[in-house]
Amino acid sequence: MGLLFRGTAVAVAFFVTAGPAAAHAVAPAGQWSVVHNDRRDSYDAVTVTPGGAVWVAGTRRPDHGSTGAEPLLLKGGRSAFKRVTGPGFRVRRLTSASDTRVWAFGASRYARWDGKRWQVKPWRHGRVDRAHSIGRNLWVIENSNTFPSAGDAGWKARSTLRRLAGPVWRKVHTPIVVKGLDGKWAAGSTRGKAALAHWTGTAWRAVALPAIPSAHPGQISELTDVAVDGETGRVMAVGWAAWPCGGAKPSFCGETLLLSGYPGDWNFEVRGEPGIQPRAQAEPDGRGGAWVVYDTKGAGSGFLHIGTDGVEPGTFPAPPNQNASVRDLAVQPESGSIWAVGAAPSGRDGSIWAYRR
């Protein structure tokens, strides 16, 4: 069945203190809420372990007029978020397989938390854009590019996928340019067209998709992320389609793509709003649907909630006089709890959001 649009936004609520100290509140059931905010902080990455521990990485500007920012790692969940010992470098990506298997990636080092201490190793590869611990596999997507907001007629998608095999990070051949992963599914593009691939356990195989409903001369498209429902196996992906439109200088028009379905039974929906979304991220909601987070034109973040019978748009609550800019999203496995982290466009006023059923 195709996805339907409903114009009512999901209700949101907000909790934050006016001072620089951390704030914490239990997220009301069935809505997004700010559960932690600190004016000194900026948050970049989040992961949630199966046991419910929420790890958040970012930076903090010290008090007393200091201009530098120092690496920051927080841990919380059902209790207040507290600063914990980090691996000794600025963490830009996080992922986890259990409470004692948490992975942190920086620019030149990566580390594993074993429940007692960080085991740090050098990172000799490219920029880590996304990290995923899926089953026994640890994957990273590195050096991925995004379609520029001004458009580029000669733009080509690129990325590298690596998998940890014993002590070695091996480059993995993929039939598509991978931009997002979940479960055994990868989202991206091939030859300028949105594409999916499936992991067989030994190799990635391309999956046939239907044509995008709306086609324009010179159109290119891509899927930027994918979310898989653990119970039903329903696959949901988000992406974009763009094409040259008018003007002496190359300019591009575009739409948001939503893909939903099962192998052999796929449905594309194209949406004029929110338009081209080259960084949209998706996570399953634990109820057969998915959350999609994207950047709005007002320098904040919005969401689309893909349900079992439709799509609902909404915006994240934010501190007074601030736009909420979400930088990362994570789900607690086998749970309806979703967490998001980010900061104001200024790079300060870090916030942590939670959604609980």
Side-chain angles (χ1 to χ4, degrees):
M1 180 176 67
L3 295 174
L4 303 175
F5 172 77
R6 292 186 299 191
T8 56
V10 174
V12 292
F14 155 63
F15 177 93
V16 64
T17 60
H24 180 81
V26 175
Q31 62 188 36
W32 283 100
S33 176
V34 175
V35 296
H36 179 95
N37 174 265
D38 197 310
R39 291 177 177 175
R40 302 167 295 175
D41 296 350
S42 179
Y43 304 134
D44 300 313
V46 59
T47 188
V48 189
T49 71
V54 182
W55 296 73
V56 176
T59 58
R60 171 168 291 177
R61 294 185 179 273
D63 295 328
H64 311 301
S66 175
T67 57
E70 57 188 25
L72 174 69
L73 192 65
L74 302 178
K75 185 179 179 183
R78 295 187 179 276
S79 60
F81 282 84
K82 297 181 180 180
R83 189 170 188 174
V84 295
T85 301
F89 56 85
R90 179 177 176 181
V91 176
R92 299 181 181 274
R93 290 291 135 205
L94 288 166
T95 189
S96 58
S98 69
D99 291 339
T100 57
R101 290 174 62 197
V102 180
W103 301 85
F105 294 85
S108 61
R109 287 175 286 177
Y110 75 102
R112 175 190 166 185
W113 174 255
D114 64 7
K116 295 181 179 180
R117 62 184 63 84
W118 288 101
Q119 301 171 358
V120 182
K121 296 182 179 181
W123 178 257
R124 298 187 174 92
H125 306 290
R127 181 193 67 242
V128 175
D129 296 305
R130 293 192 179 180
H132 301 269
S133 181
I134 303 171
R136 297 181 179 180
N137 293 317
L138 182 62
W139 304 91
V140 297
I141 302 171
E142 66 181 54
N143 293 336
S144 63
N145 64 342
T146 56
F147 186 71
S149 58
D152 182 354
W155 183 85
K156 292 184 179 180
R158 71 171 186 271
S159 72
T160 297
L161 183 66
R162 291 190 189 275
R163 176 183 175 218
L164 184 61
V168 180
W169 285 94
R170 299 194 183 280
K171 184 177 178 179
V172 180
H173 171 76
T174 57
I176 70 173
V177 179
V178 176
K179 296 298 180 70
L181 292 170
D182 192 19
K184 296 182 178 181
W185 293 88
S189 62
T190 180
R191 298 183 179 88
K193 294 184 179 180
L196 281 180
H198 186 260
W199 175 248
T200 66
T202 57
W204 288 97
R205 304 297 184 198
V207 175
L209 297 179
I212 297 171
S214 62
H216 303 265
Q219 177 174 295
I220 59 175
S221 58
E222 182 177 63
L223 296 176
T224 62
D225 206 5
V226 60
V228 183
D229 180 65
E231 291 189 7
T232 65
R234 183 188 186 198
V235 180
M236 294 151 283
V238 59
W240 53 268
W243 57 90
C245 59
K249 294 179 64 177
S251 60
F252 282 73
C253 299
E255 301 168 315
T256 299
L257 299 180
L258 295 178
L259 176 72
S260 178
Y262 305 86
D265 184 19
W266 302 107
N267 247 332
F268 266 122
E269 179 190 352
V270 294
R271 300 170 63 93
E273 290 294 333
I276 304 173
Q277 292 297 329
R279 294 181 178 85
Q281 184 177 355
E283 290 286 348
D285 66 2
R287 297 174 290 164
W291 295 97
V292 171
V293 177
Y294 63 91
D295 297 331
T296 66
K297 296 178 181 179
S301 294
F303 65 78
L304 297 173
H305 181 236
I306 303 173
T308 56
D309 60 353
V311 180
E312 293 181 336
T315 57
F316 286 86
N321 303 317
Q322 292 283 2
N323 289 320
S325 182
V326 174
R327 295 176 179 171
D328 200 14
L329 189 68
V331 60
Q332 180 182 352
E334 300 180 2
S335 166
S337 296
I338 315 291
W339 298 79
V341 300
S346 64
R348 303 186 70 173
D349 223 325
S351 293
I352 302 173
W353 296 264
Y355 181 98
R356 295 188 179 98
R357 285 193 288 175

